Amino acid sequence: MSAPAGIGEPEPPPDDHTLLGLREMELNFGPQHPSTHGVLRIILKVDGERIVSARPEIGYLHRGTEKLFETETYPMVIPHTDRLDYVAAATNNHAYCLTVEKMLGLEVPKKAQYIRVLLDEMQRISSHLLWLATAGIDLGAMTPFFYTFREREVILDLFEEYCGARLTLHCMRIGGLLEDLTPGWIQKVRDFTVPFEARIDEYEDLLTENRIWKLRTIGVGVLNAARCVEMGVTGPPLRAAGLAWDVRRAIPYEVYPELDFEIPVGKNADTYDRYLVRMAELRQSRRIVLQCCDWLEKNPEGPIRGKTPRVIKPPVGEAYAAVEAPKGELGFYLVSNGTNKPYRLHVRPPSFINLQALPEMAKGHLVSDLVAVIGTIDIVLGEVDR
Amino acid sequence: MTEETPPKPVPAAAAAPKKGPVATDASQKPLVLGLAAAVPGSVLSAKEFVGETTVDVALDRILDALRHLKNASFTYLVDLTAVDWKDRQPRFDVVYYLHSFQKGNERIRLKVGVKEGEECPSATAVFETSNWMEREVFDLFGITFKDHPDLRRILTWEGFNGHPLRKDFPVEGIDTGAAIYPDRYPEGGGPAPDDPNRKTLS
C-alpha cells in the first residue's frame, strides 16, 4: 500500500530563478513612512527600481469632519475647519466664512477684508515654507529646513500674538473677525516681511542652481495643463503647467482686485517648475502683505465685523465659495434648510483631488522619485482624509 | 403728578420681509436653454441663487448633459458630492459643479435625484477626476455608480458596515465590532436599536 501522493515528498523547486516566478513585485510604501507627510499608504508595483503602478490608499486620518459639521451651529464649525489643512488654517477659515456670508448676503467691512487677506498671505508664506523644508529633506537637502523653519517660527509667533494660536488659528468669524489687530502688530509684520525678500534669495541660492536638486526634480512627475484640468488639479501644479489660473484672480473675493500681484507660471509642468512657481509665489505673497500693511496703517480705524445676526440662520438654499489655498482651490459647498446648523457642508479639498493624479505622475519613475512626486503635490493628510 | 402709562405692547415683527438672497428662476438663461436644446429632456428646472445657476437634470440624461457641457468649454469638474434628504423621494441628490475657463470663469451646478438602491451613471467616462469623488460618495452615502472602474470604499475601511453621511447613521459612530459581526448590528450601522445611547440626526 502506497502513501497518498504529496505526503513525505519534498516539493519540487520552481523552474525559473526569478522571485516566485514573477517579474513585478508589490511593495508597500507607508502608511508609516517619513516622506509620506502623514499617514498615506501607496501600494507600488515595481519592476526592479521602476514603478509600474502606484495605488494610493487613504483614509487613515478620516475623522468624519463633514458629519460633525452637521451637528454644530454655524459659528461652531469654524474650529473644525482649522483641522482640515492644519498648516494653513487661515485659508480654511476664510473659505468657510465666505460661503456662509454668501448665503446670508453679509458684507464684510473693508478693514476686516484687508486683515483677512493679510492673514491669508502670511499663511501662504508659512505653508510654502513648510513645503520647501519637507520637500527638501525628502530629497536630501537638509539645510533649507533650518532656514525656512527660522522664518516660519516668526510667522507663527505673529499669529500667536494676534489670535493666541499658532496652527489652529480660528482667526476669522462669520461677517468679519473677532479681534482688532494688537498695537504695533503691523510694524512687526513689516519688520519680518521687508527683509524676507533676501531670505527667499537665500533659499534660491541653496537650491535653484543646485546640481543635485535639478537632477532630482527636472522632468520628474510631469503633468501637462490639459491633464491637470482633466484631473481637476489646481494650485501650483496647474500653474507650473503654464495655465495662469488662480482663484484670487479668476473668481475674485475680498480686496484682491485692488491689490497688485502677479500669477507666476511655469513651463515644463515638472517638479522643478512647481518649485520655481512656489518660490515666485512667496515673493508675490510678500508683496501683497506689504500692500495690506500700507492700507492698514493709513486706515487704522473702522469696524472689523459686519452686521452679523446673533443667530445665524441662512435662507433655504445652497451655495459654494472658494479661496485660493496654498494647495489649490479650496471650496465649501453648503446646503441650508433654514435652521441654525448646516444641513450638509461639503469640503472641496485641493489635496485630495491633486493626490488623485499621483499614479500618473509617478508611473515609470524610480522608487526614489516617488518621494519627490509626493512632495511636489504638497498634500496634507488632514485635508485628504477629512 | 405723573400718570403712569402702561407700556405699549410691542407689535411682533411679523410681515417684515425676510432679508438675504432670494432664489430666482433661471430657465431662460442662454446656458440653460442651450443645454435643454442640445440634450432634450434633460433640464427639469433651473434656478439662480446667490449668483449660482443650479439645474435639475433627469437621471438618465446626466451623462449626455455633462458631455454637452464639457464640449461647451466646461472642462473642469470642480466638485462632485451628494446630499441625503432622508424623507424625500428620491432620497439623494448627486451634485456636479462645473467650471469653464473660457466663458469668463462661469460655473454651473447640475443635480440629479437618485432613489435609494438606484444606480447613478458614473461620470468617469466624461471627467476622469470624478473617480475618487464618486468613490467618496459611494463610501459615505452608499450610492453606487454604474460603470465606475474602481468602486471601492476610500475613506472608511473595507468591510465597514454603513454609510456615515446618511442622516440615519448615528453621530457617535458605530462599534468596530459592527464591521466584524454585521449580523448582530443593524443594517446601516450604529449600536443595536435597543441601545439607550443611540441617537441620530433628526
Side-chain angles (χ1 to χ4, degrees), chain A residues 91 124 235-236 239 245-248 253 322-326 328-330:
Chain A
T91 44
R124 193 181 318 278
R239 290 190 282 275
W245 192 81
D246 187 311
V247 182
R248 290 175 292 177
Y253 52 97
V323 301
E324 182 70 31
E329 177 180 349
L330 169 71

Side-chain angles (χ1 to χ4, degrees), chain B residues 4-178:
Chain B
E4 279 197 19
T5 49
K8 277 184 187 171
V10 183
K18 260 208 140 185
K19 276 189 212 161
V22 193
T24 52
D25 183 60
S27 52
Q28 295 310 311
K29 280 188 80 169
L31 180 63
V32 181
L33 286 175
L35 175 64
V39 190
S42 63
V43 177
L44 302 177
S45 69
K47 66 173 193 286
E48 181 148 344
F49 182 67
V50 292
E52 295 172 6
T53 311
T54 307
V55 183
D56 280 310
V57 177
L59 181 62
D60 54 343
R61 308 296 284 158
I62 181 65
L63 279 191
D64 293 332
L66 287 173
R67 255 187 220 113
H68 163 73
L69 285 171
K70 192 179 183 187
N71 291 334
S73 86
F74 285 84
T75 45
Y76 163 35
L77 178 71
V78 181
D79 196 13
L80 189 160
T81 185
V83 185
D84 177 13
W85 302 94
K86 200 175 130 210
D87 303 318
R88 197 193 70 174
Q89 267 308 323
R91 179 172 172 172
F92 301 103
D93 270 341
V94 176
V95 186
Y96 305 79
Y97 201 39
L98 305 175
H99 177 94
S100 162
F101 288 102
Q102 273 142 45
K103 293 184 179 171
N105 291 299
E106 197 176 2
R107 293 190 161 189
I108 184 170
R109 180 181 295 121
L110 304 184
K111 286 206 294 193
V112 288
V114 181
K115 290 186 195 126
E116 198 169 351
E118 201 175 16
E119 277 191 328
C120 181
S122 168
T124 43
V126 190
F127 293 101
E128 259 182 70
T129 179
S130 66
N131 188 328
W132 278 20
M133 302 177 185
E134 284 178 354
R135 278 180 67 187
E136 187 188 323
V137 169
F138 164 72
D139 188 0
L140 303 180
F141 287 92
I143 301 171
T144 48
F145 289 90
K146 202 179 168 194
D147 301 326
H148 189 285
D150 183 27
L151 198 62
R152 291 178 296 126
R153 285 185 180 271
I154 186 164
L155 293 178
T156 62
W157 63 90
E158 59 275 18
F160 185 83
N161 184 23
H163 301 287
L165 277 182
R166 287 190 174 197
K167 289 283 174 183
D168 48 11
F169 188 89
V171 180
E172 69 273 14
I174 62 166
D175 196 289
T176 318

Side-chain angles (χ1 to χ4, degrees), chain A residues 50-70:
Chain A
R50 215 157 275 283
I51 297 168
V52 178
S53 77
R55 194 162 58 110
E57 287 285 323
I58 59 169
Y60 292 90
L61 208 60
H62 181 56
R63 293 151 296 174
T65 310
E66 286 178 14
K67 184 82 174 173
L68 285 175
F69 286 162
E70 294 171 12

Side-chain angles (χ1 to χ4, degrees), chain A residues 69-103:
Chain A
F69 286 162
E70 294 171 12
T71 67
E72 312 275 24
T73 60
Y74 284 94
M76 283 159 73
V77 166
I78 303 173
H80 285 296
T81 65
D82 287 335
R83 284 140 181 93
L84 293 170
D85 177 356
Y86 41 73
V87 300
T91 44
N92 299 347
N93 293 167
H94 201 164
Y96 170 70
C97 290
L98 276 182
T99 316
V100 182
E101 284 152 12
K102 195 174 185 182
M103 284 289 261

Side-chain angles (χ1 to χ4, degrees), chain A residues 45-302:
Chain A
K45 221 174 238 162
V46 288
D47 175 4
E49 269 285 298
R50 215 157 275 283
I51 297 168
V52 178
S53 77
R55 194 162 58 110
E57 287 285 323
I58 59 169
Y60 292 90
L61 208 60
H62 181 56
R63 293 151 296 174
T65 310
E66 286 178 14
K67 184 82 174 173
L68 285 175
F69 286 162
E70 294 171 12
T71 67
E72 312 275 24
T73 60
Y74 284 94
M76 283 159 73
V77 166
I78 303 173
H80 285 296
T81 65
D82 287 335
R83 284 140 181 93
L84 293 170
D85 177 356
Y86 41 73
V87 300
T91 44
N92 299 347
N93 293 167
H94 201 164
Y96 170 70
C97 290
L98 276 182
T99 316
V100 182
E101 284 152 12
K102 195 174 185 182
M103 284 289 261
L104 290 165
L106 260 182
E107 257 192 48
V108 179
K110 196 122 200 201
K111 186 179 172 192
Q113 294 191 23
Y114 267 99
I115 299 177
R116 280 179 170 193
V117 169
L118 173 62
L119 290 166
D120 268 16
E121 296 305 322
M122 298 267 286
Q123 188 74 82
R124 193 181 318 278
I125 292 174
S126 87
S127 172
H128 279 1
L129 288 179
L130 184 77
W131 167 80
L132 182 62
T134 50
I137 280 203
D138 288 346
L139 296 185
M142 191 78 184
T143 319
F145 177 86
F146 299 114
Y147 283 18
T148 57
F149 266 59
R150 180 185 62 193
E151 270 75 70
R152 184 169 175 266
E153 189 67 18
V154 180
I155 297 180
L156 297 190
D157 283 346
L158 286 166
F159 279 147
E160 190 176 7
E161 185 175 335
Y162 171 61
C163 61
R166 293 161 62 85
L167 281 179
T168 50
L169 301 179
H170 193 199
C171 59
M172 295 179 198
R173 297 294 188 279
I174 294 159
L177 301 154
L178 177 68
E179 295 286 352
D180 205 343
L181 299 175
T182 46
W185 195 76
I186 289 288
Q187 190 52 46
K188 283 182 194 164
V189 172
R190 209 180 264 285
D191 290 345
F192 163 74
T193 318
V194 173
F196 184 59
E197 182 86 46
R199 304 286 192 211
I200 305 172
D201 292 338
E202 240 174 59
Y203 315 142
E204 291 223 55
D205 281 347
L206 286 171
L207 294 175
T208 306
E209 291 302 324
N210 183 319
R211 186 147 172 265
I212 305 171
W213 180 257
K214 282 172 104 169
L215 283 172
R216 292 295 309 270
T217 53
I218 290 177
V220 172
V222 177
L223 195 70
N224 65 30
R227 290 297 301 159
C228 278
V229 172
E230 178 67 28
M231 297 302 285
V233 171
T234 48
L238 178 66
R239 290 190 282 275
L243 191 57
W245 192 81
D246 187 311
V247 182
R248 290 175 292 177
R249 271 285 155 75
I251 312 157
Y253 52 97
E254 309 293 28
V255 288
Y256 278 113
E258 297 173 15
L259 297 168
D260 179 28
F261 65 99
E262 283 154 28
I263 302 172
V265 286
K267 212 164 64 189
N268 303 325
D270 59 1
T271 302
Y272 186 69
D273 274 26
R274 283 177 209 121
Y275 154 77
L276 291 180
V277 163
R278 287 194 176 99
M279 298 312 279
E281 278 182 14
L282 284 178
R283 294 181 198 274
Q284 297 304 322
S285 289
R286 175 183 168 276
R287 276 176 73 190
I288 300 175
V289 168
L290 286 176
Q291 289 171 53
C292 290
C293 288
D294 288 344
W295 193 92
L296 287 166
E297 273 174 347
K298 271 184 219 141
N299 303 276
E301 302 300 321

